[in-house]
């Protein structure tokens, strides 16, 4: 079978050993000069706790090196039509993480206790936040966990700073799920996010106070949105159909109801590497590009065995018809991921 995607359109995520943290502010103006990469260093001096950070780059992150009491880091690059966007996230104790950034840092979120250096010069997250906006959910008085879901017209990172809201500093919640410009999760304390663009939709289920750019707002005044671009919504029915039109049959098969031009499957692969441990890559498989691949009525689409790798699963699906899209995430993705975990790769020679 001919691969339906070209080399300029793919999504790849790699988990590396080493230390990183999820930082707290928007970083603009830190970018590579010509062909030179910017040396970006993230530092935490907190020996008693782990601090987290997260940042977005319009470009690529060429390498990641850590030292000291570092924990883990995740570097994800999305490349489409020659344009790359990289998200870096991690956690770090008493140590540093260093990155070679080829491009411009757009958003930078972090816990308190994180220091950032760009080419040896200290960079203040507050000074570099640019026109990024803050969304804060305060559920300290709710009595139980509050669920939330926010859609923006731009992109989102998690952060520990609260943008002037009259609440204590937040801690980055690694359980908050960010998908492009959408974030969702649950909180029983304070959670904060940095984002670009506008707040398009907001839903808060529970007794919580919400702040936008430091000002209290009523979530109902924003609206709840359609939820169609949140690939986790509507898929909690223990095998029931997801959003109208898409149903996950198993870890590599989806069923699409309706007429669409094409269906894009987001595929996760897992491979063992003796140096890096388990390496995860995410690829895109497109159905509907060939004349014999027609999506109408009820269409069952199966990812061919060993198409990208021996260990592969479908995490999400997007049905596309012109400017209209219908998307859903596999409700059994966690169980499917556990099934493709490779054995211990052992030691390198």
């Amino acid at each position: 079978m001919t691969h339906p995607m070209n080399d300029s359109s793919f999504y790849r995520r790699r988990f590396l050993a080493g230390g990183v943290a999820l930082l707290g502010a928007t970083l603009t103006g830190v970018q590579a000069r010509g062909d030179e990469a910017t040396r970006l260093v993230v530092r935490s001096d907190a020996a008693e706790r782990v601090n987290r950070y997260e940042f977005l780059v319009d470009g690529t992150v060429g390498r990641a090196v850590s030292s000291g009491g570092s924990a883990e880091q995740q570097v994800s690059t999305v490349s489409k039509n020659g344009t790359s966007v990289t998200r870096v996230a991690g956690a770090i104790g008493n140590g540093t993480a260093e990155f070679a950034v080829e491009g411009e840092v757009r958003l930078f979120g972090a816990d308190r206790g994180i220091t950032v250096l760009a080419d040896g010069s200290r960079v203040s997250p507050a000074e570099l936040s640019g026109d990024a906006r803050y969304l804060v959910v305060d559920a300290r008085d709710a009595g139980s966990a509050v669920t939330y879901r926010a859609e923006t017209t731009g992109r989102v990172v998690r952060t520990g700073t609260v943008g002037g809201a009259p609440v204590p500093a937040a801690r980055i919640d690694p359980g908050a799920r960010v998908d492009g410009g959408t974030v969702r999760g649950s909180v029983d304390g304070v959670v904060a996010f940095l984002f670009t663009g506008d707040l398009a939709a907001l839903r808060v289920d529970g007794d919580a106070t919400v702040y936008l750019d430091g000002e209290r707002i009523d979530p109902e005044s924003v609206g709840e949105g359609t939820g169609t671009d949140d690939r986790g919504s509507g898929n909690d029915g223990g095998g029931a159909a997801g959003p109208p039109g898409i149903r996950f049959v198993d870890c590599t098969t989806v069923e699409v109801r309706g007429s669409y031009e094409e269906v894009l499957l987001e595929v996760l692969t897992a491979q063992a590497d003796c140096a890096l441990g388990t390496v995860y890559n995410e690829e895109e498989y497109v159905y509907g590009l060939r004349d014999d691949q027609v999506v109408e009525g009820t269409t069952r689409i199966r990812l061919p065995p060993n198409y990208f790798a021996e260990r592969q699963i479908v995490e999400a699906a997007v049905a596309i018809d012109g400017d209209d899209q219908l998307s859903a995430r596999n409700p059994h993705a966690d169980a499917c991921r556990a099934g493709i975990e490779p054995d211990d790769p052992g030691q390198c020679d």
Side-chain angles (χ1 to χ4, degrees), residues 57-291:
V57 176
D58 279 347
T60 61
V61 177
R63 71 177 185 273
V65 179
S66 61
S67 63
S70 57
E72 63 181 21
Q73 63 192 18
Q74 174 183 326
V75 180
S76 310
T77 300
V78 180
S79 298
K80 289 185 181 295
N81 301 323
T83 300
S84 297
V85 177
T86 301
R87 180 183 298 269
V88 179
I92 191 169
N94 186 17
T96 63
E98 179 180 335
F99 304 92
V101 176
E102 299 184 18
E104 184 168 359
V105 181
R106 293 294 187 182
L107 285 172
F108 206 127
D111 285 334
R112 294 179 61 181
I114 290 291
T115 301
V116 186
L117 303 174
D119 288 333
S121 299
R122 183 165 179 169
V123 181
S124 167
E127 295 173 350
L128 296 169
S129 59
D131 59 356
R133 308 185 68 184
Y134 289 84
L135 178 68
V136 177
V137 180
D138 180 7
R140 290 174 297 162
D141 299 328
S144 61
V146 170
T147 61
Y148 61 86
R149 180 181 182 280
E151 298 177 28
T152 75
T153 60
R155 292 179 286 182
V156 180
V157 298
R158 296 162 288 193
T159 186
T161 53
V162 296
V167 299
R171 296 280 293 167
I172 286 179
D173 177 13
R177 299 184 62 179
V178 177
D179 186 1
T182 301
V183 61
R184 62 190 177 93
S186 63
V187 59
D188 57 6
V190 178
V191 68
F193 303 96
L194 277 167
F195 68 94
T196 58
D198 296 319
L199 183 61
L202 177 64
R203 176 174 179 175
V204 178
D205 294 325
D207 185 12
T209 304
V210 180
Y211 298 90
L212 179 63
D213 297 329
E215 300 292 331
R216 183 172 179 174
I217 64 169
D218 179 1
E220 294 185 358
S221 67
V222 181
E224 296 185 359
T226 63
T228 55
D229 68 339
D230 181 353
R231 297 166 191 169
S233 65
N235 281 308
D236 298 326
I246 298 178
R247 183 174 75 90
F248 288 86
V249 178
D250 55 35
C251 293
T252 57
T253 308
V254 300
E255 192 174 83
V256 179
R257 300 185 308 278
S259 298
Y260 297 94
E261 295 175 359
E262 60 189 34
V263 177
L264 183 150
L265 304 183
E266 294 186 2
V267 180
L268 177 72
T269 68
Q271 295 178 311
D273 186 285
C274 66
L276 300 176
T278 301
V279 176
Y280 300 91
N281 289 320
E282 285 196 3
E283 309 286 354
E284 291 180 349
Y285 174 89
V286 176
Y287 182 93
L289 299 182
R290 298 202 321 246
D291 291 341

Side-chain angles (χ1 to χ4, degrees), residues 3 9 44-45 48 63 90 109 113 132 135 163 204-205 216 294 301-302 311 329 338:
H3 196 301
S9 180
S44 173
D45 297 325
E48 71 284 357
R63 71 177 185 273
L135 178 68
V204 178
D205 294 325
R216 183 172 179 174
V294 179
I301 303 169
R302 184 188 181 203
R311 301 170 184 268
R329 184 164 292 277

Side-chain angles (χ1 to χ4, degrees), residues 2-33:
T2 301
H3 196 301
M5 302 298 295
N6 58 49
D7 291 337
S8 68
S9 180
F10 67 94
Y11 178 100
R12 175 164 294 171
R13 179 173 63 196
R14 176 163 292 185
F15 294 84
L16 303 175
V20 192
L22 299 161
L23 308 155
T26 304
L27 196 62
T28 57
V30 174
Q31 64 183 104
R33 298 179 302 278

